[in-house]
Amino acid sequence: MIGKRSGRLAALVVLALASGAGAQERLPLVAVEKPKAMDVVQYLQSTGTLAAEQSVDLVARASGLLEKVNFRDGEKVKKGDVIFGIEREPYEISLASAQADVRQQEASLAQAAANLTRQRDLKDKSVVSASALEDAIAQHAIAESQLAAARARLRTAELNLGYTEITAPFDGILSARLADVGAYINGAAAQKLATLVKPDPLHVNFTATDRQVVEIRRRMLERGMQVGNFGLPVSVELSLTDGDGYPFNGPLDYVAPEIDPTTGTMALRGEIANPDLLLSPGMFVKVRVAVAMRPDALTVPERAIGNTQEGRTVLVVGEENRIEQRLVEIGAPAEAGRREIRSGLEPDDRVVIRGGAAVAPGQVVSVEAMPQEVAP
């Protein structure tokens, strides 16, 4: 009987030991890593709108029938290309009339000059009176003024004839035309025929608070730049609103001299190269401008940061593999999905980066080897 009881007791001890071992094996498993030191750039982030650096409405300055449309809608044109042509004949007739008028007035002036010379010779010989010479002088002056007026009318006729051709003031892309061949064009109303847009480079317009602008200006001063002088040292980066990364960049070339009192913001502008015409005026984009850089800042993966009523927190594996919850102050986003931690962590802390959802502060866990501790 005693032997049977001893056997049962031994079996219970074995089962208890086995149960304890199983409990130890079932400790929650978490992956950890130490905070990584990185250079973290602080950005001014905003949304912006792209705009053409140059955009003009092509308007008519001469009236008449539209005779020529030399380019298709949306086509590229070069500076000086004739895009529209208005009927020229009425203006050519006016030009010919003005040219004839100039020749007539030149002849009249030559006659008046000859008469003035003759009257002076006769006056020197006391053949004519002083009043006759005075009349000759007046007629010569009238002829000079009439010739000047005729030449002005000629210049006006030349300009009006030139207005029958609407040319491109710069290289660009045409919008859809607003009039077809045969339509009557009213030059007196400065009728719009199309819009010409220069697509490269583009401007990106965005805003910033006064504090953010001060940060930019401090950054400029740190680089030896005078406030008001802009260029490559201050770079504007942008991304399409549904895109990843910031593949487009260019210099910051304008900061408004004053704050808009209605919005409390300042207007800023960057210049973005667009040689492949991937971007178009009117697009909304995400904008960022680097304003500061903190070297060797401690960073952790964004997924390791939690949010509680007390603030932002991370879980740390402390002594005896026990979970601790740390209240941290976060900073700027870093590369590779990481976030700067300004306070609350030490370089040797073991931060939980996976498995944290299944554990609580004070709980003992099993720790998975950190990536830097894994043998090659």
Side-chain angles (χ1 to χ4, degrees):
M1 181 68 70
I2 294 176
K4 290 181 179 181
R5 291 180 178 175
S6 299
R8 290 175 181 174
L9 183 59
L12 291 173
V13 171
V14 171
L15 288 173
L17 291 174
S19 176
Q24 186 175 7
E25 291 175 359
R26 288 194 299 271
L27 289 177
L29 181 64
V30 297
V32 299
E33 73 170 34
K34 293 181 180 180
K36 183 179 180 181
M38 300 175 63
D39 293 342
V40 176
V41 180
Q42 180 183 355
Y43 291 98
L44 178 161
Q45 295 186 320
S46 183
T47 56
T49 307
L50 295 178
E53 187 178 66
Q54 289 182 283
S55 176
V56 297
D57 291 337
L58 301 177
V59 300
R61 300 177 68 180
S63 298
L65 296 181
L66 185 62
E67 289 187 337
K68 296 179 182 178
V69 178
N70 295 329
F71 290 88
R72 292 178 296 179
D73 298 348
E75 196 168 3
K76 291 182 180 180
V77 297
K78 294 289 186 180
K79 180 180 180 179
D81 286 344
V82 177
I83 301 171
F84 297 101
I86 296 172
E87 59 178 332
R88 295 171 59 88
E89 187 174 3
Y91 298 96
E92 290 172 340
I93 293 172
S94 296
L95 177 61
S97 176
Q99 290 170 337
D101 190 21
V102 168
R103 289 193 295 270
Q104 179 181 350
Q105 297 304 327
E106 287 175 342
S108 297
L109 177 61
Q111 184 180 17
N115 182 52
L116 177 60
T117 300
R118 185 170 56 255
Q119 293 298 325
R120 281 173 175 165
D121 290 342
L122 293 175
K123 179 65 174 63
D124 290 342
K125 296 176 182 179
S126 300
V127 175
V128 297
S129 63
S131 61
L133 177 60
E134 291 173 355
D135 288 342
I137 293 174
Q139 291 300 319
H140 183 269
I142 292 172
E144 282 184 327
S145 64
Q146 289 177 335
L147 176 58
R151 285 173 174 169
R153 290 191 293 272
L154 173 61
R155 180 57 184 153
T156 299
E158 291 172 341
L159 287 174
N160 288 336
L161 180 60
Y163 292 153
T164 61
E165 292 184 339
I166 294 92
T167 61
F170 51 81
D171 296 355
I173 298 176
L174 287 172
S175 70
R177 66 182 182 274
L178 300 178
D180 295 320
V181 171
Y184 179 77
I185 304 302
N186 185 1
Q191 184 175 341
K192 177 180 173 181
L193 302 179
T195 299
L196 181 64
V197 176
K198 184 178 181 180
D200 179 34
L202 294 176
H203 279 149
V204 55
N205 297 302
F206 59 104
T207 60
T209 65
D210 52 352
R211 283 188 182 181
Q212 291 171 325
V213 172
V214 168
E215 286 292 335
I216 291 178
R217 288 174 172 169
R218 283 176 178 166
R219 185 66 171 162
M220 293 168 63
L221 293 174
E222 289 173 1
R223 298 184 181 188
M225 299 175 61
Q226 293 183 0
V227 174
N229 294 340
F230 302 102
L232 290 176
V234 178
S235 178
V236 177
E237 302 175 21
L238 62 88
S239 169
L240 300 179
T241 53
D242 60 349
D244 294 327
Y246 288 78
F248 308 98
N249 64 82
L252 178 71
D253 68 348
Y254 173 73
V255 174
E258 60 184 2
I259 295 176
D260 184 343
T262 61
T263 62
T265 61
M266 281 185 172
L268 293 90
R269 187 183 69 201
E271 184 178 272
I272 306 298
N274 188 33
D276 299 325
L277 306 186
L278 294 175
L279 305 174
S280 296
M283 282 184 173
F284 290 97
V285 292
K286 295 184 292 185
V287 181
R288 71 180 187 183
V289 179
V291 295
M293 194 271 285
R294 281 183 286 277
D296 297 327
L298 295 182
T299 67
V300 300
E302 288 271 12
R303 65 179 183 275
I305 303 173
N307 196 11
T308 67
Q309 292 182 345
E310 291 78 16
R312 307 306 292 272
T313 61
V314 298
L315 296 179
V316 174
V317 177
E319 295 181 359
E320 299 179 352
N321 285 354
R322 196 172 298 277
I323 293 292
E324 300 175 7
Q325 181 173 273
R326 299 278 185 85
L327 191 64
V328 296
E329 179 188 358
I330 65 172
E335 295 180 0
R338 303 182 71 85
R339 172 73 68 166
E340 175 192 10
I341 302 297
R342 295 186 178 180
S343 65
L345 286 180
E346 298 296 330
D348 290 330
D349 284 333
R350 296 183 295 171
V351 178
V352 176
I353 62 171
R354 190 172 63 248
V359 299
Q363 189 172 359
V364 177
V365 296
S366 177
V367 178
E368 183 180 354
M370 294 180 289
Q372 58 265 38
E373 296 178 350
V374 176

